[in-house]
Amino acid sequence: MEDRGEGEEPAAGLHFVGMKEDLIKAKRSFRTLEGRDILVLYHQEMFYALDFHCYHAGGPLQNGDIEEFDGKLCIVCPKHKYKISLAEGESIYRATNPYDPVPTTRWYSKGIKQRVHTVTETDGDVYVTLSHMSRFIESDYFQGEKGKAERERM
Ligand code: FES
């Protein structure tokens, strides 16, 4: 990424979300970018950005614990304890299939349910580029009328 001189605007699509040191101190920061509510997280020396409202029922992800499950770092929604991977927005759950010959408890994936965004850093400035993956992702529902209308069409 190119350096940003004083007074220069960042490249198109990049949204400045704060100074690295401030975001590290805050650990969890709320931002609205292009009308979309985003949670910027700092955890174990990494930044993540994902839709602010949980895809399941709009729960407050900013208050969720972060734990590793099945080798994936996840945020646990405080509302109903759904586990969402920080890197991909994948929802995972642990269950036992009673139809297995030897039923054992294991992890399953529901697929990508929470939209995640790209975080980059240049000289202490942190930027988010919104995901423009065109398909509907469940967390879109909680990002205004357009998301609601898309779900109705499905
Ligand atoms: Fe997040 Fe239900 S609202 S798990």
Side-chain angles (χ1 to χ4, degrees):
M1 184 187 309
E2 284 179 33
D3 279 358
R4 185 165 71 102
E6 202 168 303
E8 282 182 46
E9 288 300 313
L14 282 183
H15 298 278
F16 175 72
V17 292
M19 301 296 296
K20 181 179 179 182
E21 62 194 57
D22 294 337
L23 293 171
I24 289 173
K25 231 179 270 167
K27 289 195 170 76
R28 296 165 188 220
S29 305
F30 170 82
R31 296 288 183 270
T32 301
L33 309 175
E34 295 179 29
R36 195 168 193 100
D37 295 338
I38 306 295
L39 176 62
V40 180
L41 281 169
Y42 182 78
H43 186 79
Q44 292 176 349
E45 301 183 12
M46 290 281 293
F47 282 107
Y48 301 90
L50 61 161
D51 279 357
F52 191 81
H53 311 284
C54 174
Y55 79 89
H56 175 226
L61 287 182
Q62 80 275 17
N63 298 327
D65 291 334
I66 296 176
E67 295 177 48
E68 190 174 311
F69 301 100
D70 199 27
K72 296 169 184 161
L73 208 51
C74 295
I75 192 155
V76 182
C77 178
K79 203 163 179 182
H80 307 104
K81 306 294 181 203
Y82 281 25
K83 296 156 185 63
I84 301 167
S85 77
L86 291 177
E88 307 210 309
E90 179 186 16
S91 181
I92 61 171
Y93 66 102
R94 201 165 149 80
T96 306
N97 181 350
Y99 300 107
D100 280 349
V102 182
T104 44
T105 304
R106 67 179 185 88
W107 287 97
Y108 292 87
S109 173
K110 294 180 191 174
I112 306 297
K113 299 291 185 178
Q114 193 80 18
R115 193 175 287 274
V116 296
H117 311 280
T118 305
V119 184
T120 50
E121 188 237 315
T122 304
D123 296 334
D125 291 343
V126 179
Y127 300 89
V128 168
T129 305
L130 294 178
S131 152
H132 287 293
M133 190 191 290
S134 58
R135 81 169 174 87
F136 176 80
I137 294 177
E138 267 80 344
S139 65
D140 294 345
Y141 181 76
F142 296 97
Q143 296 286 348
E145 292 310 311
K146 190 174 169 227
K148 286 185 176 55
E150 279 183 48
R151 189 165 86 177
E152 302 307 319
R153 272 200 300 271
M154 295 178 71

